[in-house]
């Protein structure tokens, strides 16, 4: 091939999602497989959404590029102006747009490590310098991150709660951090798992928008709302900032179906509350189980847990997948002795625990 790519493209690796269920069935000759790898909502989406998806037509028409109905309702619920919202095909696309708007070869961006891979991925594409600050006890070291900001820094990323550790930074720490960040540096608070948070001192970033116009909040309908397959998320920030990034957005980047499903999902908070309670109950069961089996769980405010199994995460991943249970190995996530487990339904978690127990007993025999 003679096409001349940007040099940075040659070193990029595609995002690797959890193994698909059908592939695992074929590879290991299994009839039943459960997937606890990608932090999806195991209870699906609201029945109101399911009904909508069965009835929706007119797919031959372009969607409303402005997402007007969803924009209006979300602004009302969040108590922000409609002009403060930026919609994307998942919050991933909002990350891409922000990087495209702010980063270049003469800039840098500060982030934790390990954290969500797409911050670094998109920054690399834009040619920016990556400044990575190691987590401290699984948490963002916000003081150290602030210390690394310099005159070339454009964006600081705070994944809160953090993926893959599941940990969170509290309100006091976050406010102190914001007070130290220069006003010309954007702070992105990625809150993809916000609906699962139980901690009472989690930052109220929406109220902070009134004080800090260099704050951008990312949220998504992919996790708690169960719309991962429809790809819709959004950013909330200062109107002046959103107005500059909005022109970078593709004209029809979110589909009509995704917009309608998100709007319908917002209207069923009973489903959301039910999922919250079930997740909390099942997460607590898993934490007790792994503690009793001599493993360490990072404290999680999400719908997944990161478990230190004291050995190669790849080895445990391979042992579980052969039994029809798909998790994520921590080796690819920056935690080589861990596995990351999405909290499933009661029956899915029971099967996970049985599979892990069988692996653990095999280790004792060896």
């Amino acid at each position: 091939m003679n096409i001349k790519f940007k040099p940075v493209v040659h070193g990029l690796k595609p995002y690797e999602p959890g193994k698909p269920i059908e592939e695992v069935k074929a590879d290991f000759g299994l009839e039943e497989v459960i997937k606890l790898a990608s932090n999806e909502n195991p209870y699906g989406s609201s029945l109101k959404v399911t009904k909508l998806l069965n009835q929706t037509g007119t797919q031959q028409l372009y969607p409303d590029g402005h997402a007007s109905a969803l924009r209006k309702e979300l602004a009302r619920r969040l108590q922000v102006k409609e002009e403060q919202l930026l919609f994307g095909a998942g919050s991933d696309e909002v990350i891409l747009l922000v990087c495209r708007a702010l980063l270049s070869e003469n800039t840098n961006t500060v982030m934790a490590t390990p954290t969500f891979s797409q911050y670094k991925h998109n920054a690399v594409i834009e040619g920016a310098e990556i400044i990575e600050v190691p987590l401290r006890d699984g948490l963002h070291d916000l003081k150290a991150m602030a210390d690394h900001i310099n005159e070339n820094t454009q964006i600081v990323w705070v994944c809160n709660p953090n993926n893959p550790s599941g940990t969170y930074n509290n309100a006091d720490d976050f406010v102190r951090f914001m007070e130290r960040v220069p006003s010309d540096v954007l702070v992105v608070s990625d809150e993809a798992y916000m609906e699962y948070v139980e901690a009472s001192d989690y930052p109220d970033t929406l109220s902070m928008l009134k004080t800090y116009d260099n704050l951008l909040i990312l949220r998504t309908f992919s996790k708690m709302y169960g719309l991962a397959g429809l790809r819709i998320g959004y950013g909330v920030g200062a109107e002046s900032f959103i107005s500059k990034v909005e022109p970078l957005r593709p004209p029809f980047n979110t589909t009509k179906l995704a917009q309608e499903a998100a709007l319908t999902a917002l209207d069923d908070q009973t489903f959301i509350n039910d999922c919250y309670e079930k997740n909390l109950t099942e997460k607590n069961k898993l934490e007790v189980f792994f503690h009793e089996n001599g493993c360490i769980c990072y404290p999680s405010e999400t719908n997944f847990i990161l478990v230190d199994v004291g050995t190669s995460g790849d080895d445990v991943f391979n042992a579980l997948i052969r039994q029809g249970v798909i998790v994520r190995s921590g080796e690819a996530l920056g935690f080589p002795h861990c596995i990351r487990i999405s909290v499933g339904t009661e029956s899915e978690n029971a099967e996970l625990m049985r599979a892990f127990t069988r692996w653990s007993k095999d280790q004792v025999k060896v």
Side-chain angles (χ1 to χ4, degrees), residues 185-212:
V185 174
L186 181 71
V187 174
V188 179
S189 179
D190 188 344
E191 303 174 2
Y193 299 94
M194 182 275 301
E195 290 87 358
Y196 288 102
V197 173
E198 56 191 285
S200 60
D201 59 351
Y202 182 72
D204 178 9
T205 47
L206 284 172
S207 68
M208 294 174 65
L209 289 173
K210 299 174 183 177
T211 305
Y212 301 100

Side-chain angles (χ1 to χ4, degrees), residues 42-57:
Y43 307 104
S45 57
S46 162
L47 290 177
K48 292 184 178 181
V49 173
T50 302
K51 184 177 179 180
L52 168 75
L53 297 180
N54 290 333
Q55 295 176 342
T56 302

Side-chain angles (χ1 to χ4, degrees), residues 275-325:
C275 290
Y276 173 88
E277 294 298 335
K278 288 178 179 176
N279 179 76
L280 186 58
T281 298
E282 293 302 314
K283 181 175 66 173
N284 290 339
K285 284 183 188 177
L286 290 177
E287 289 173 342
V288 169
F289 168 79
F290 283 109
H291 176 74
E292 291 176 345
N293 280 270
C295 301
I296 299 172
C297 296
Y298 283 76
S300 174
E301 294 289 331
T302 67
N303 67 336
F304 63 86
I305 56 173
L306 185 68
V307 184
D308 189 332
V309 291
T311 188
S312 164
D314 281 354
D315 288 350
V316 181
F317 164 81
N318 288 325
L320 294 180
I321 203 170
R322 286 184 171 84
Q323 300 180 64
V325 179

